[in-house]
Amino acid sequence: MGTEARECVPEQPVRRRWARGREWGPLTALTVGVLVGAGLWLAGRRAAADWLWAAATVAALAPAAWSTLRRLWHRQFGVDVIAVLALAGALVVREYLAGAVIALMLATGRALEAYAQRRATRDLRALLERAPRSARRRRPGGGIETVPLDRVAVGDRLVVGPGDVVPVDGTVEEAATLDESVVTGESQLVARAAGEPVASGVVNAGAGFGLRATKSAAASTYAGIVRLAEEATAHKAPMVRMADRYAAAFVPFTLVVAGLGWLLSGEFVRAVAVLVVATPCPLLLATPIAIVSGLSRAARRGVLVRDGGSLELLGRARTLLVDKTGTLTAGRPRAAETVVAPGGDRDEVLRLAASVEQLSPHVLAAALVRQARDRGLPLAEPTGVTEEPGRGVSGRIDGRLVRVGQLDGELPQWAAGAAERAELAGRSVVWVSDERGPLGAILLEDPVRPDARRTVRRLREAGLTRLVMVTGDRQATAEQVARAVGVDDLLARCSPQEKADRVRQEAERAVTVMVGDGVNDAPALAEAHVGVAMGATGATASAGVADAVLTVDRLDRLADAVEIARHARRIATQSAVVGMGLAVAAMLVAAAGKLPPVAGAFLQEGIDVVVILNALRALGGGLRRRDVPAATGELLDRYAGEHGGIRDVLADLRDTADLVATHPDSPDCVPALREVHRRLVGQVLPHEAAEEQHLYPALAGPLGGDEATSTMSRGHVEIRRLVDGIGGHLAQAGAGPPRPDQVTDLLATLYGLDAVLRLHLAQEEEDYFSLRD
């Protein structure tokens, strides 16, 4: 954070003390007035006591009456008129103590509301207070200057010191350690390597580092979050004035009860007593406290909701429409499999492709380069690089011409098989070839998020009854994803306008939520009752029209937000119903002459305090998710990281199975079998055994018992059996190729192990690894 931001920090405690003084000052003055009046009354100076209590009543009546008149002038009729009538009635019947207690009650309610709202919105305020106002920029000729944030331009080289807030979106120029909790809700420190993107608003938790700006301050991630936070703190929840919607019935009911009490008894004081206990503070105060508390909790979970109205609608939602790419799927392709020509080297094919693609801006190129670097492959600098739009990239690597992209002409048998496999799996194919022909094929996929299916289940448990996936992707690929995550319906190959039309149709039948991440989702988000943008992916256009933004790239936080919204709405309604129910009961007792105005005022004060404290329960509870201990989380991270290596073994396993199926007599067959068996025994089985010994017992607590992991343990047994089966066939084959009578069972074992192991990894990632925050 720059110097300008730091200079503002000392002012914050001063402003907070001033705000607290304004909140609690009237309550303190009224409390002193009531107590002094009580002392005067006990001392026999009753006239002075009545004068002091009357002054307190007038002090509360004047602003309340002015506010009510202004609302009536604007044709807004609310139940706060009851408070005005109660104060005026107390003065008319000279129940000055009752009037003073009513005034004290209103001041107490306002102070408690201000306190609760300040506590509930402290996470949103923290976002606003942490917003950087300046940045350190490197001068072209050397040195560092501090400049206002709005003067930072794309391409500027900045310096982020220890403890500073990253001022704009950019890429780090050297390794950095960051605290992203304010933006994403993630508590662990994150390490970013040179060249990786960093969002503004995160905090530098390590040594200083260089940052190259990729967006201006206004277009950066944190600026959008701050705008949402400002709107969230500026808007009142709809239930703040929920009482107004019932004013047409409640105010006449109150006046009828008060009038009957007066008419039947002839005592106007009974009407005043009814008005005193009818003051609807539970609706005016308790319900907005619950809603604002929900806003705060959602922000802590990485979901910024624009206002209380959006949160309240989220709590009533029944239909969810969700875009596929970037929402149910990761949104960026990854190399799922590399298929090579007979005798080829998988790592070499990937290295050549990534080396050529280093200079390409295409998203598929970035996926290849990222995959190669993750595998630790040394990339060479390409020369003579040319790119033909729609066809691919070519360049020389170590003097060798390499082409990456589409492939012309008739495909060899192995390549045709790879193309068919990609088509069946809904994957894209990038061909790698040289002057002699194709060297291999890299199959790219946009993987389903590991937490997607679990999130869908949680959303159903939270009350969403209809889930629809909308996507511009082809039907076959969309159907695969829809089956994987468990949605009710899908709309494939749809344009942005068709998405918006479908959202509009669904919104006519039920309260509807739309989730998307791209610019093309913005029209659909605007049509939904609640539009939710995946803001962590940088979708600034969709975030601009959304009612809520996920600031962390995790879909399960949407389920958290829905559960929080329902919990807050339930408590808000409960506070209103219980508080008003008690008030109506007290009104009937007062009309019968059994509750004088003074006692009624104290009773109403007690009711208000009870329902406001109940509303504060919205700050906790309501989440179905299970938090895992820190030690268990570390185990999940460790074993999740090992899955990449196991998928490499799976690729070798599939290649070996294909070799046995097509050329069982090849001299390469047995060496390939022995190599894959060696990797299975040396890498896969130790991983499964370690999970069984360390991870699964640690998960018993969060998952509710050992039975939750019993089926996965059975999977380990089956994997061990199939690996042992491969070893048995190798022992029988000896040094020669597999006997003809062995081939059928050997193929069943190889392909069976491939299927079981893939399913096992997917289940672990969905059921266990998605528990990790």
Side-chain angles (χ1 to χ4, degrees):
M1 193 185 304
T3 56
E4 294 183 16
R6 285 196 174 97
E7 289 169 359
C8 293
V9 172
E11 299 177 9
Q12 299 296 337
V14 175
R15 287 204 293 266
R16 291 196 195 101
R17 285 196 296 271
W18 174 250
R20 282 195 291 268
R22 288 189 301 171
E23 293 163 5
W24 296 97
L27 174 60
T28 302
L30 285 169
T31 302
V32 171
V34 170
L35 293 177
V36 171
L40 292 172
W41 191 87
L42 291 174
R45 301 178 62 183
R46 298 191 175 185
D50 285 341
W51 181 88
L52 192 58
W53 290 333
T57 305
V58 172
L61 175 61
W66 175 247
S67 174
T68 301
L69 289 173
R70 282 192 305 171
R71 288 174 57 79
L72 290 174
W73 178 260
H74 291 93
R75 298 180 181 179
Q76 296 175 349
F77 181 70
V79 291
D80 45 2
V81 69
I82 296 175
V84 173
L85 292 175
L87 289 167
L91 290 174
V92 170
V93 299
R94 298 185 178 182
E95 288 282 353
Y96 301 125
L97 176 57
V101 174
I102 296 171
L104 184 64
M105 173 187 65
L106 293 175
T108 301
R110 292 193 186 98
L112 284 174
E113 179 191 24
Y115 164 75
Q117 187 159 359
R118 187 174 65 250
R119 177 184 171 187
T121 58
R122 60 188 175 189
D123 298 286
L124 300 179
R125 288 197 319 276
L127 286 171
L128 302 178
E129 292 174 2
R130 295 167 67 96
R133 296 168 178 83
S134 63
R136 298 187 183 96
R137 184 171 63 186
R138 296 185 191 273
R139 292 192 180 96
I144 298 173
E145 61 179 344
T146 299
V147 297
L149 205 57
D150 57 7
R151 287 178 54 191
V152 174
V154 175
D156 281 354
R157 296 184 64 207
L158 309 177
V159 176
V160 182
D164 283 0
V165 175
V166 174
V168 296
D169 293 0
T171 55
V172 295
E173 295 184 326
E174 53 260 348
T177 302
L178 303 170
D179 175 5
E180 301 184 348
S181 59
V182 171
V183 176
T184 67
E186 303 284 357
S187 58
Q188 283 196 328
L189 298 181
V190 177
R192 299 292 182 195
E196 287 194 281
V198 172
S200 58
V202 304
V203 179
N204 181 13
F209 63 89
L211 178 81
R212 185 173 292 276
T214 56
K215 289 184 180 180
S216 65
S220 289
T221 301
Y222 201 62
I225 293 174
V226 167
R227 282 193 295 271
L228 279 175
E230 289 172 337
E231 292 178 12
T233 54
H235 282 74
K236 282 192 173 183
M239 296 181 76
V240 169
R241 306 305 303 180
M242 187 176 75
D244 297 345
R245 296 204 296 266
Y246 299 103
F250 188 75
V251 171
F253 171 76
T254 300
L255 296 177
V256 166
V257 173
L260 285 175
W262 181 15
L263 179 65
L264 296 176
S265 66
E267 300 175 0
F268 183 62
V269 72
R270 292 194 183 187
V272 175
V274 170
L275 293 173
V276 167
V277 295
T279 306
C281 283
L283 284 175
L284 295 173
L285 301 178
T287 46
I289 289 172
I291 295 296
V292 173
S293 297
L295 288 174
S296 174
R297 290 192 67 204
R300 289 202 302 271
R301 298 300 304 162
V303 185
L304 272 179
V305 183
R306 190 180 298 274
D307 53 42
S310 299
L311 188 81
E312 198 262 347
L313 283 171
L314 192 61
R316 294 195 292 120
R318 289 292 178 268
T319 300
L320 172 71
L321 292 99
V322 57
D323 180 51
K324 176 183 76 71
T325 305
T327 305
L328 293 174
T329 64
R332 59 180 186 179
R334 76 175 183 188
E337 186 179 354
T338 303
V339 181
V340 295
D345 185 322
R346 183 179 294 105
D347 285 348
E348 178 62 12
V349 168
L350 179 59
R351 186 188 75 85
L352 291 172
S355 296
V356 172
E357 293 279 21
Q358 286 180 96
L359 302 181
S360 173
H362 198 279
V363 64
L364 297 181
L368 296 179
V369 174
R370 182 171 57 249
Q371 186 85 355
R373 285 175 174 164
D374 289 345
R375 292 176 62 88
L377 301 179
L379 302 186
E381 183 175 349
T383 59
V385 177
T386 59
E387 184 166 359
E388 183 180 352
R391 302 301 303 167
V393 180
S394 63
R396 291 194 173 274
I397 304 297
D398 301 327
R400 180 183 183 184
L401 181 62
V402 177
R403 296 185 181 88
V404 182
Q406 299 297 318
L407 194 62
D408 296 322
E410 186 176 350
L411 298 178
Q413 182 179 358
W414 69 268
E420 291 175 2
R421 187 189 306 177
E423 179 68 24
L424 291 173
R427 294 169 173 171
S428 303
V429 182
V430 174
W431 298 98
V432 184
S433 57
D434 62 6
E435 298 95 332
R436 294 172 296 178
L439 302 172
I442 301 173
L443 278 56
L444 296 168
E445 66 175 357
D446 183 11
V448 174
R449 291 175 180 267
D451 61 338
R453 189 174 182 86
R454 176 185 289 273
T455 299
V456 166
R457 289 199 302 266
R458 285 185 57 202
L459 288 168
R460 292 190 189 280
E461 292 171 357
L464 287 161
T465 57
R466 177 168 171 76
L467 281 77
V468 182
M469 186 181 80
V470 290
T471 179
D473 210 341
R474 54 184 178 171
Q475 185 75 24
T477 302
E479 287 177 350
Q480 289 182 358
V481 176
R483 286 193 295 268
V485 301
V487 298
D488 300 310
D489 196 7
L490 70 91
L491 179 65
R493 288 195 178 278
C494 58
S495 66
Q497 185 57 50
E498 289 172 328
K499 284 185 183 181
D501 292 342
R502 182 59 178 268
V503 172
R504 192 181 306 112
Q505 294 170 13
E506 297 288 346
E508 291 174 355
R509 294 191 288 266
V511 177
T512 299
V513 178
M514 169 69 194
V515 185
D517 81 316
V519 174
N520 63 337
D521 296 322
L525 294 178
E527 289 289 345
H529 289 101
V530 182
V532 181
M534 301 288 286
T537 59
T540 53
S542 56
V545 301
D547 302 292
V549 173
L550 296 176
T551 61
V552 58
D553 193 23
R554 291 191 53 150
L555 185 60
D556 63 335
R557 298 302 173 85
L558 175 62
D560 289 351
V562 171
E563 291 174 354
I564 288 169
R566 293 199 187 283
H567 182 63
R569 185 171 179 271
R570 184 166 54 248
I571 288 179
T573 304
Q574 179 190 87
S575 298
V577 170
V578 171
M580 297 311 297
L582 292 173
V584 169
M587 287 164 57
L588 297 176
V589 174
K594 303 298 184 182
L595 188 65
V598 174
F602 281 110
L603 176 62
Q604 183 62 42
E605 180 90 2
I607 292 173
D608 294 343
V609 172
V610 168
V611 295
I612 288 172
L613 292 177
N614 179 69
L616 286 173
R617 293 194 302 115
L619 286 169
L623 284 176
R624 299 170 185 265
R625 67 186 303 278
R626 297 183 177 96
D627 290 315
V628 297
T632 304
E634 291 174 1
L635 288 175
L636 288 170
D637 289 342
R638 170 188 165 188
Y639 292 112
E642 292 179 4
H643 273 201
I646 293 178
R647 292 189 188 280
D648 289 341
V649 179
L650 274 172
D652 284 343
L653 178 65
R654 179 61 184 261
D655 288 346
T656 302
D658 292 345
L659 180 61
V660 173
T662 56
H663 302 91
D665 297 329
S666 168
D668 297 328
C669 188
V670 170
L673 277 170
R674 294 193 184 281
E675 174 60 19
V676 77
H677 183 258
R678 182 191 67 78
R679 295 192 67 184
L680 287 167
V681 172
Q683 189 171 348
V684 175
L685 293 186
H687 169 85
E688 308 294 350
E691 284 187 331
E692 194 71 42
Q693 183 177 359
H694 302 293
L695 179 61
Y696 288 6
L699 288 172
L703 295 177
D706 294 333
E707 288 300 315
T709 59
S710 61
T711 55
M712 303 301 288
S713 295
R714 181 64 183 84
H716 288 166
V717 173
E718 182 65 13
I719 292 168
R720 164 69 75 172
R721 185 186 71 81
L722 292 169
V723 172
D724 289 344
I726 297 172
H729 279 293
L730 283 171
Q732 291 181 15
R739 300 192 311 271
D741 62 303
Q742 286 184 271
V743 171
T744 301
D745 186 61
L746 182 56
L747 285 174
T749 303
L750 290 169
Y751 285 122
L753 178 59
D754 178 78
V756 169
L757 199 47
R758 288 181 189 276
L759 176 62
H760 183 76
L761 294 180
Q763 287 177 323
E764 282 190 332
E765 289 167 359
E766 176 185 324
D767 293 335
Y768 302 156
F769 298 156
S770 63
L771 293 173
R772 185 71 173 112
D773 274 339

